[in-house]
Amino acid sequence: MLKENFSDLVYLVMVARERSFTKAAAKLGVSQSALSHAMRGLEERLKTRLLTRTTRSVAPTEAGEQLIEYIAPLMSDIEKALYDLTEHHTSTAGNIRITAGEHALHSTLWPLLEPFLKAYPDVNIELSVDNTLTDIVSGRFDAGVRLGESVEKDMVAVRIGPDWKMVVVASPDFFETNGTPKTPYELQNFNCINMRLPTLGGLYSWEFTKDDKDIRVKVEGQLIFNNLKSRIEAALSGMGIAYVPEDSVKEYIDNGSLVSILTDWCEPFSGYYLYYPSRKQHTAAFSKLLEAVRLNG
C-alpha cells in the first residue's frame, strides 16, 4: 500500500501547492495526463475524493486538505534529509525567503542582513515587503518578522530588535495654525493622517498608554495611506497629524521639521521578532542567519 501510494502523495502535495495540473506536471517532470491519472488512481485506492477539479483550477477537498497538512511536513523533512546527504551540511549557501513589514524591514531587519550577506556571499535572500499578517507556511517563506505580540503560538520567535515607540507628530506650521491637542482624545478634533489596515481593511485606531491605562482613538482627516513613507511626507507638508514610529522621524524632530506631542502617552513596547515554523529543520545558511540577527543582551 505504501509503495504504490508514496509517489502519488508527492504528486498530490505539488498539485495542491500549484492549484494547477499543468504547473504541477511541469515542476514534477511528468505529463499532465499521467499526473491526472495518478491522482484518480490514488482517490480510487483510498476511496476518498481528494481534489475538486474545475475547468480553470484545482483545489483540495476537506479530506484532501487534512491529508496534505499531515504529510507535507513529513515530506519536507525527507527532502531535507536527502539534501543533506548530497550537499555539504557545513556549507553556508542556499536560498532564504523572508516576509516583513515596511517598518520592520528598514528599521531592524535590513541593518542586520547587510553585514550577513557580505559575510556569506553564497547565501541568497528574497525579501517580501508585506504589511499584512502573512501565513509564512502557506506562502512558503522560511521566516517572517513581526512584533512579538503578533506571532502565533506554534511558531519559534527570536527577538531581533530593541523596544521602540510610536510618536504623534506634525509640522510646526500646522500646530501654529490649528492649535495643539493636549490629550489623545482631542485628536478627534484635528485633521489627522490615517492608515488603512492591510489585513482587515479598516482604519488603524491610534493606541496610547499612560499610567497602565490603554486607550484607542479613532481619528479622522483628509488623507488615508497604506504605507509609512507617504504618511511622513504628508506630515512634513503640513497636511495633518501623523502617528508613526519614532525612529522613522527622529531626524525631522531633531531638525525642527516636525514637532512631537503627547509624549507622555507614547510608551515603548516590545520590538520585532523573527519567527519560523518549529518543525522546520534548519539549513546551515538559516542557522547562521539566526546567529546574525538574534538580539544579544
Side-chain angles (χ1 to χ4, degrees), residues 118-274:
K118 291 178 180 178
Y120 299 100
D122 293 326
V123 176
N124 304 316
I125 295 182
E126 177 183 344
L127 295 168
S128 176
V129 181
D130 191 345
N131 292 322
T132 63
L133 297 180
T134 305
D135 183 341
I136 62 172
V137 175
S138 64
R140 303 182 68 182
F141 289 99
D142 295 289
V145 177
R146 290 184 192 168
L147 294 173
E149 62 190 30
S150 302
V151 177
E152 291 90 344
K153 299 300 182 183
D154 59 347
M155 293 286 169
V156 176
V158 175
R159 183 161 180 173
I160 64 172
D163 291 352
W164 57 276
K165 66 179 181 178
M166 301 284 286
V167 290
V168 181
V169 295
S171 69
D173 289 343
F174 179 88
F175 287 133
E176 183 177 347
T177 302
N178 300 279
T180 303
K182 304 302 182 183
T183 69
Y185 302 102
E186 293 180 25
L187 288 167
Q188 296 171 320
N189 302 320
F190 286 80
N191 192 8
C192 293
I193 302 166
N194 251 313
M195 179 180 74
R196 177 75 65 185
L197 291 171
T199 303
L200 301 177
L203 298 180
Y204 170 62
S205 295
W206 295 9
E207 301 171 273
F208 299 95
T209 301
K210 183 177 182 181
D211 299 329
D212 295 325
K213 179 182 179 181
D214 299 328
I215 66 169
R216 291 173 177 260
V217 179
K218 290 186 177 181
V219 299
E220 296 182 355
Q222 292 179 284
L223 290 171
I224 301 173
F225 295 103
N226 65 355
N227 67 86
L228 174 61
K229 182 179 179 181
S230 296
R231 302 204 312 275
I232 295 174
E233 290 176 346
L236 287 168
S237 299
M239 298 302 296
I241 301 174
Y243 193 46
V244 294
E246 183 182 37
D247 60 272
S248 66
V249 292
K250 186 177 185 304
E251 64 175 301
Y252 301 118
I253 295 174
D254 290 344
N255 65 26
S257 299
L258 292 174
V259 176
S260 176
I261 64 170
L262 303 178
T263 55
D264 55 335
W265 282 91
C266 301
E267 295 187 0
F269 50 86
S270 179
Y272 288 114
Y273 287 72
L274 183 131

